[in-house]
Amino acid sequence: MTTAPRPPADAPRRVAVTGLGAVTPAGRDVAAFRDAVLAGEPLYRRGAFSFAAASVPDDSPREDMDPDAVRLLGRCARFAADAAIQAVLDARLAIRPETLPLIGVAMGSAFGEPESLLRWRNAADPEERDLWARRASLPPATAVARVIGAAGPCRSLAGGSAVGLAAVVEAAELIRRGDATFVVCGGADAPLAWLDAEPGAAERAGVSRTGAARPLASDADGIVPGEGAVAFVLEDLEIARQRGARVYAEALGWGETSSRSPVTDPRPNRVDAARALQAALMRGHTLQREVDALFASACGDPALDAVELEAIRTVWGHAAAALPVTAIAGACGHVFAASGPASMLAAILALGEGVLPPAAGAAPREEIDLVRERRHAEVRRAVVNAFDVSHHVSLVVAAPEDEGRT
């Protein structure tokens, strides 16, 4: 089997981000996402749904995808495949028979294909039922692996809004262990049609009926749901340098915890959320004062946002008042499993451009330095959070030339 060049055996593998891809309510590429989050204007609107939602404006399939394959992909899988192809092209990753065994996939989805399940349940025609059943049974990770031909490890994560960033963590672990040379990773979700059509689903998800998005505000009315996918290519930093790839960032460290709460009464836990933050800093050899910005989940759920603020204060103490904190959910809506990767994408863009996006719609907070307008700042290291009710993931990303760590 063909193998890629490796650094010395005793050298710890460092994880580079070399490819970016996005399908979001802002549009079908990274540039559209960048412009939207920097503008800080809400992208959600009332349209085909009974609630305000941030939907992808153009959901047509990519022209370079096999039409027969597209027919078998549900909306969520199609978004994931689109973002993954963007990331692979951006990384200039050669798709050849000898490289396919070196490429792994790790994708997270909170809902999978709920619209396909709904249509399968309601379809009367047998052929139509069979089509929707096949779409419903194809998770985003498997869809991405088949579309790009990846033959390495394939990880499909499910279970909540934090699983997209958890998939990035799993991809980094695959690189660190040497189980894959390249990993396409991220998160995807497309639950809007299902949330609107399934009785009680929107209420159970905490969807805002007023369309207000005030992330990090204690009087938040609920989440404004969105859809889309964000994908990255991760690889060994040394290999990226050897092949002349553009390195956008390095994944320094990560932490992942669950909340200690019963099945009958799930709720976020400040102590466990703080442990994820602490683990990410420790594993990334990063001091609190070395973090230039924190990209919060801040999805609009009052209880969850309050716990995230408490976790930040627990880890940073009094220094939290000087920590720049922003969030993109106020502009893009809560894109569920894609929300953590979307925040990571915003953080990587900030590393490269030195501009922090505003936390659109957020109320002032005394506990932190909330970024309420676009802010120019030197960002060398940033923390990204993806917290949901029972799962917390934190990740430290650094500018690629940041060699100041031990």
Side-chain angles (χ1 to χ4, degrees), residues 15 49 64 85 96 126 200 261 273 305 329 339 391 400 403:
V15 181
F49 309 107
D64 56 1
I85 291 171
R96 298 193 296 264
S261 61
D305 288 356
S339 60
H391 190 188
E403 303 290 349

Side-chain angles (χ1 to χ4, degrees), residues 14-18 20 176 237 241 246-254 280-281 283-287 290-293 295 344 346-353 378-384 395-406:
R14 296 169 62 180
V15 181
V17 182
T18 57
L20 313 175
R176 283 271 180 96
L237 177 61
R241 288 170 172 167
R246 175 178 179 176
V247 177
Y248 288 100
E250 180 180 356
L252 289 187
W254 41 88
L281 294 174
R283 185 163 189 172
H285 303 286
T286 299
L287 301 174
E290 294 178 307
V291 176
D292 299 308
F295 287 74
M344 178 178 166
I348 289 173
L349 295 174
L351 294 175
E353 301 182 15
E378 183 179 13
V379 184
R380 310 300 306 163
R381 302 188 193 192
V383 170
V384 180
L395 175 71
V396 180
V397 291
E401 64 273 19
D402 183 3
E403 303 290 349
R405 64 189 183 97
T406 56

